[in-house]
Amino acid sequence: MAPQYAPSLRSRLPLVAFLLETIFILLFVFFVKIEQHELIDRESDSKLFISSYAEFQDTHVMIFMGFGFLATFLLRYGFSGSGFNMLLAAMAIQWAVLMNGFLLPQRHHRKEIHISMKSVIEAELCAASALVAMGAVHGKTNPVQLLLMALVEVTGFVVNQWILRTLFLADPVYSIMLLHVFGALFGVMVSWVLHREGIEPVHEKEKTDRKTGLLAMFGTLFLWMFWPSFNSALVRDLKLKLTVIYGTYLSLAVSVVMAMSVSMLTSAKGKMNMVHVQSSALSGGVAIGVAMTAVHMPWIAMTIGFCAALLSALGFRYMKNHMLLAFECHDTCSVLNVHAVPGILGWFALLFLRLASDESTVVVQFAVYHICVLLITVCMSLVMGTATGLFLKWSIWRPQQDRKCFDDQAFWEFPNLAVKK
Amino acid sequence: MAPQYAPSLRSRLPLVAFLLETIFILLFVFFVKIEQHELIDRESDSKLFISSYAEFQDTHVMIFMGFGFLATFLLRYGFSGSGFNMLLAAMAIQWAVLMNGFLLPQRHHRKEIHISMKSVIEAELCAASALVAMGAVHGKTNPVQLLLMALVEVTGFVVNQWILRTLFLADPVYSIMLLHVFGALFGVMVSWVLHREGIEPVHEKEKTDRKTGLLAMFGTLFLWMFWPSFNSALVRDLKLKLTVIYGTYLSLAVSVVMAMSVSMLTSAKGKMNMVHVQSSALSGGVAIGVAMTAVHMPWIAMTIGFCAALLSALGFRYMKNHMLLAFECHDTCSVLNVHAVPGILGWFALLFLRLASDESTVVVQFAVYHICVLLITVCMSLVMGTATGLFLKWSIWRPQQDRKCFDDQAFWEFPNLAVKK
Amino acid sequence: MAPQYAPSLRSRLPLVAFLLETIFILLFVFFVKIEQHELIDRESDSKLFISSYAEFQDTHVMIFMGFGFLATFLLRYGFSGSGFNMLLAAMAIQWAVLMNGFLLPQRHHRKEIHISMKSVIEAELCAASALVAMGAVHGKTNPVQLLLMALVEVTGFVVNQWILRTLFLADPVYSIMLLHVFGALFGVMVSWVLHREGIEPVHEKEKTDRKTGLLAMFGTLFLWMFWPSFNSALVRDLKLKLTVIYGTYLSLAVSVVMAMSVSMLTSAKGKMNMVHVQSSALSGGVAIGVAMTAVHMPWIAMTIGFCAALLSALGFRYMKNHMLLAFECHDTCSVLNVHAVPGILGWFALLFLRLASDESTVVVQFAVYHICVLLITVCMSLVMGTATGLFLKWSIWRPQQDRKCFDDQAFWEFPNLAVKK
């Protein structure tokens, strides 16, 4: 009878979570204070606060509601999708506040970490990076593995930012917007190392239905609607901020139209696929996020959204299965097509737009620098993803059996289902 | 076997969408820039931006989340309800930015269209008008038809605004608030022309269940909660803006109470109807939106909400079926009772409030002017709606069969349902 | 056949609601105006408005969306959960505006009630108090009973605030933050008086499933995400406001982690319980809300969140059934563990933090004062809850039968379910 149940995590998850949470609180005791200068430094104190708080809230909604409900699309994995998303994000944020404070200190106070609107928004974006990575292994890992993976991912992402900012003097906003590329490649590598033979080619439980499709639509819409705030939250210059907001808005509007069209065009029966549409509709936001500092005209933003959705929808339709068959890499939410490919498209767009506007002497220099930034991010994410995958393969973490993948029953009580069905 | 399936749109929708989207991007290339003066014109630049951006976000949430999920109430039409809502709104917004820019230019720059917070909020309101119209034909048209209908509706609505503003020197905010009346009548006429014998009197698939009722509740709540922002977004004077916010808030609170009471009172078994409650709870917002410039006391707003919900709930209970039987007009979401009737009620309220406060000489003049404004809007919407209906009847658009109405299967892939059920 | 149906409320609810709504509108006619000084009093008028309006919107979303969807967790009681929540909150807000205006008048205008952002936020918080109380009797009362209970609860809560502010010169923000303790104890007493033998020990219909669990997750997330605004909305000092925001945010992040860990640890099979997790994840916000004026360091907030979730999750697991068996008190949403216990924990935290920071002479005085405040609130809520319960037991309100508890069928039309299932 024993092997019928998924291994119990009773002795694992509470222990790991208690321990980590206690360590976090102790670190907060010694290192973290609430920023007080935030208000005194500048004249327009409350104005600044209001603006930042609204942007923080929009980002907050995207992380917990957007990612959380986008992750409920699997028929039997909704509790885990939204629940683990909340657990991971809550832990990742605390850890990101600490990591950002240690590695990327603000001016003026290098010995203490000060919590401010800026620091919590940055922490939320780091958490977003971990949640993107989680998409690749969605349904195939237990919460202990996810928790450890999230913390390693955040660490890697912050270290990557530190390298880019210190060695390459990269723009902080640009370095943080690479979160999609970093997270997606990290997640894909973890998923590749943790590959399960048993879920190939199509797992019985990896499916969606009318109701979970709508709940996922819900998460999609929250991400889609607040993406302009997500991209512009850390931009300080008001003119650029507005340009980013309008650009993201238009890019996403075009993405929706393209995602639906391509999804219908590539289907033999001329029908749209809800999962493809939901994912590809967001690709315009990813692409424009990377390229945003160089996009000053609405039509350029729309063209980027057009191409991103095209690539993403085609990739979801044709590449996901190919990856599984050819590379033995199962990428549940197809984060490669939704985050990595549009992210790299945005990188190309940024390169071309800069090359088109700058003078010739600086061009080569910029291109080399720009290519290095991407290469480092890609290498970091691939290496750390592989290492994390190997670490998580350790049987001490009690991974569930193949049969129990994509299934809430392994982790959640359903006392009444037994009676009902 | 062939007639068993709905006609494939593979050769229609992608083509039409690609084409339109390409045209839009080309028009944006030549005519649209991002507004830069928005910030320089005024002293309190960032303050203005913050306020507008929050109102824009509230409106944005209403259009995509509110209308989108209100449209999921049909048991088998949830994907289409929320998905097509997103497609239509995304297209309508782009088109409305262009139309508004061409026909209703801002001062200072008549040759270019400048994107600003104001212009995107106006575009969202025009899209709302199209979505109201869509409610009348909900479930009985395919996405190509919906797309064309939305674009024609936006064109008609902007032309109507242009007439009202140019010939009647109407207040811009008032002329845009007639969106409910225009959209509802337009939609009802389209539905009347496209009448299908097969869905009379009750279509087998036109029903709701516990879960879709809750998802629609969800959309209702988003519309209900953010309606104060919807009505006040374009009001510039801060005192009037606050008055509108409090008025809309109180009017909606009373609407909810009345919608539930009337729904229970008019039921033989003393039970409430969720669809009626959801729709009528919103009618107070519609009515106050039209009358808002003249409502300065909370109790007047509450009385308007009281009457609007009363009329709307009675109309939903008794008039919807009557319209189908007597006029052969099937109005799926009963937009006539939810948008047109409360809108006209608001128009009457505005008339009476103005007459009560103004001096006698101006009175007749105002009444004549006021009646003309409504007549023109009504005529425009009826004529354009009929014309659009005739255009959409063309079989080139491949309408689905009667049996396939209110059914997602015609447009969306459900690979797993075949296995499951 | 007659006893098969729940008693019809057709002659009760519409009458009561019409009557109350008419009385409210009449009271508004004579006493309520829209605040105009709000804008003229201060220099930074629009800034203030923007900030307050955003906070109001966040609170508004919590009341209607958060509480509304948290209440949909029961499988067959979703329509009632969200629908009655909307009805009650809409009525409670109108009544709270009046009660607050009569009993707790603002300076300058004692004869009229002026609607301002502050007054509507306060009204929403009073409504929150009534909704907490509703949680205890959730599913076991009809809407007429709920409506009357909500109005009495709001009255009691405002009277309690008046006593605390007048006799004890308590801080207004602190006295309103006791809403959790007051509401929960009030609700538990009502539930105790209305005890039904028939629903013991486990009612057949008191259960959740995958989909309703996710809809409740949804309400939970809205409450969880916007709680920082809920706690800080009435705090005027900007420094304290920021401290409250960061404190609530961190406390809630820790609560989530602890809620999940404890839920898994206390389960024999090592599985989490979604209902426990959803409720306990919010307890950190309750506790910090009471203690917030004395919490200046992030780690203290985190520790409070840690303890609150621990107590709340243990209470939900072990105390809910114990209460039912030992005291014959059925507390559907376990508001005692989710609101009362964390609220009292926050009270203790406030006491200790004040004692630790103040000088010795003031200490005893503060402790006595502090204990009196809690005692009065507890007594008021217990007494009024009992009285309300006795009043609602009156059969004129036509309570549904035991069999019809936790069931929408008693109050909502499901025309199609008969056909379908």
Side-chain angles (χ1 to χ4, degrees), chain C residues 53-172:
Chain C
Y53 185 53
E55 286 163 350
F56 159 69
Q57 280 286 14
D58 288 355
T59 314
H60 199 38
V61 169
M62 287 178 71
I63 301 299
F64 285 89
M65 187 63 82
F67 279 102
F69 272 80
L70 188 52
T72 61
F73 73 101
L74 290 175
L75 182 56
R76 293 168 177 280
Y77 201 66
F79 278 22
S80 304
S82 60
F84 297 164
N85 182 81
M86 204 174 170
L87 175 68
L88 258 65
M91 287 295 257
I93 285 168
Q94 297 174 52
W95 182 233
V97 166
L98 292 167
M99 284 300 293
N100 275 326
F102 289 134
L103 280 185
L104 309 169
Q106 311 293 315
R107 282 166 304 127
H108 301 316
H109 32 73
R110 297 199 157 262
K111 291 188 184 158
E112 283 175 329
I113 298 168
H114 285 220
I115 289 194
S116 64
M117 278 300 151
K118 184 160 171 285
S119 81
V120 287
I121 292 176
E122 280 175 351
E124 300 256 346
L125 294 184
C126 293
S129 168
L131 297 177
V132 168
M134 182 185 156
V137 298
H138 189 64
K140 297 170 292 182
T141 40
N142 69 34
V144 185
Q145 291 176 308
L146 286 175
L147 204 50
L148 296 170
M149 177 178 152
L151 298 185
V152 177
E153 207 276 351
V154 168
T155 314
F157 181 56
V158 176
V159 169
N160 188 56
Q161 279 186 69
W162 177 82
I163 294 173
L164 296 186
R165 292 198 207 174
T166 314
L167 301 186
F168 291 85
L169 303 172
D171 178 34

Side-chain angles (χ1 to χ4, degrees), chain B residues 216-242:
Chain B
M217 185 67 177
F218 203 74
T220 307
L221 276 174
F222 273 109
L223 288 172
W224 192 87
M225 292 187 306
F226 293 129
W227 210 294
S229 302
F230 187 85
N231 280 348
S232 71
L234 291 175
V235 176
R236 280 292 124 216
D237 176 59
L238 196 53
K239 273 198 185 179
L240 183 56
K241 192 189 271 279
L242 276 171

Side-chain angles (χ1 to χ4, degrees), chain A residues 13 21 57 88 101 111 128 145 171 190 197 208 251 262 356 368 402 421:
Chain A
L13 182 67
E21 196 56 69
Q57 280 287 15
L88 257 66
K111 290 186 186 161
Q145 290 176 308
D171 177 34
V190 173
E197 293 292 328
T208 183
S251 172
V262 175
V368 170
D402 289 350
K421 294 193 185 175

Side-chain angles (χ1 to χ4, degrees), chain A residues 53 117 124 218 409 413, chain C residues 218 229 246 249 265 271-272:
Chain A
Y53 185 52
M117 278 300 151
E124 300 256 345
F218 202 73
Q409 295 269 12
E413 287 178 357
Chain C
F218 203 73
S229 302
Y246 298 131
Y249 176 67
L265 193 66
K271 294 184 179 186
M272 291 182 249

Side-chain angles (χ1 to χ4, degrees), chain A residues 93-379:
Chain A
I93 285 167
Q94 297 173 51
W95 182 233
V97 166
L98 292 167
M99 284 299 294
N100 275 325
F102 289 134
L103 280 185
L104 310 168
Q106 311 292 314
R107 282 166 304 126
H108 300 317
H109 31 73
R110 298 200 156 261
K111 290 186 186 161
E112 284 175 329
I113 298 168
H114 285 220
I115 288 193
S116 64
M117 278 300 151
K118 183 159 171 286
S119 80
V120 287
I121 292 175
E122 281 175 352
E124 300 256 345
L125 295 184
C126 292
S129 167
L131 297 177
V132 168
M134 183 185 154
V137 298
H138 189 64
K140 298 170 293 182
T141 40
N142 70 33
V144 185
Q145 290 176 308
L146 286 174
L147 204 51
L148 297 170
M149 176 177 152
L151 298 185
V152 177
E153 206 277 350
V154 167
T155 313
F157 181 56
V158 176
V159 169
N160 189 56
Q161 279 186 69
W162 177 81
I163 293 173
L164 296 185
R165 291 198 208 174
T166 314
L167 301 187
F168 290 85
L169 303 172
D171 177 34
V173 177
Y174 174 61
S175 73
I176 210 166
M177 276 300 149
L178 289 170
L179 71 94
H180 301 288
V181 177
F182 189 94
L185 294 178
F186 185 98
V188 167
M189 291 316 286
V190 173
S191 183
W192 178 66
V193 174
L194 292 180
H195 182 67
R196 291 157 175 275
E197 293 292 328
I199 60 168
E200 189 186 359
V202 173
H203 192 280
E204 173 206 11
K205 289 171 181 167
E206 191 187 357
K207 62 187 176 189
T208 183
D209 80 347
R210 285 176 189 284
K211 300 292 156 56
T212 55
L214 281 174
L215 290 173
M217 185 67 178
F218 202 73
T220 307
L221 276 174
F222 273 109
L223 288 172
W224 192 86
M225 292 187 306
F226 293 129
W227 210 293
S229 302
F230 187 85
N231 280 347
S232 70
L234 292 175
V235 176
R236 280 293 125 214
D237 176 59
L238 197 53
K239 272 198 185 178
L240 183 56
K241 194 190 270 280
L242 276 171
T243 310
V244 168
I245 286 173
Y246 299 131
T248 309
Y249 176 65
L250 289 169
S251 172
L252 285 166
V254 178
S255 281
V256 169
V257 179
M258 289 307 297
M260 292 205 176
S261 305
V262 175
S263 182
M264 184 175 270
L265 193 66
T266 55
S267 147
K269 288 184 180 165
K271 294 184 178 185
M272 291 182 251
N273 185 305
M274 194 44 133
V275 176
H276 297 185
V277 167
Q278 286 169 348
S279 303
S280 302
L282 299 173
S283 57
V286 174
I288 200 88
V290 178
M292 65 191 183
T293 45
V295 178
H296 297 293
M297 294 294 287
W299 70 269
I300 298 178
M302 292 166 83
T303 310
I304 291 175
F306 190 98
C307 300
L310 192 71
L311 281 179
S312 170
L314 289 174
F316 215 133
R317 182 73 76 178
Y318 301 113
M319 214 159 92
K320 196 188 161 187
N321 281 329
H322 186 71
M323 291 247 316
L324 181 57
L325 297 174
F327 302 105
E328 302 206 316
C329 176
H330 182 272
D331 178 2
T332 314
C333 301
S334 203
V335 293
L336 195 72
N337 298 307
V338 179
H339 292 274
V341 170
I344 291 168
L345 176 75
W347 178 88
F348 272 109
L350 181 58
L351 184 64
F352 288 134
L353 290 168
R354 276 281 156 74
L355 296 192
S357 66
D358 280 7
E359 290 94 60
S360 54
T361 48
V362 200
V363 159
V364 180
Q365 196 183 328
F366 176 76
V368 170
Y369 154 82
H370 197 62
I371 290 165
C372 287
V373 165
L374 185 70
L375 275 185
I376 293 208
T377 305
V378 169
C379 292

Side-chain angles (χ1 to χ4, degrees), chain A residues 10 17-18 38 46 53 57 60 65 69 79 83 93-94 116-117 124 218 409 411-413 416, chain C residues 47 207 210 214 218 222 224 229 239 246 249 254 258 260-261 265 267 271-274 302 317:
Chain A
R10 197 178 177 188
F18 274 135
E38 184 175 23
S46 78
Y53 185 52
Q57 280 287 15
H60 199 37
M65 188 62 82
F69 272 80
F79 279 22
I93 285 167
Q94 297 173 51
S116 64
M117 278 300 151
E124 300 256 345
F218 202 73
Q409 295 269 12
F411 310 117
W412 299 87
E413 287 178 357
N416 308 301
Chain C
K47 204 166 65 191
K207 62 186 178 190
R210 286 175 189 284
L214 281 174
F218 203 73
F222 273 108
W224 192 86
S229 302
K239 273 198 185 180
Y246 298 131
Y249 176 67
V254 178
M258 289 306 298
M260 292 205 176
S261 304
L265 193 66
S267 148
K271 294 184 179 186
M272 291 182 249
N273 184 305
M274 194 42 133
M302 292 166 82
R317 182 73 77 177

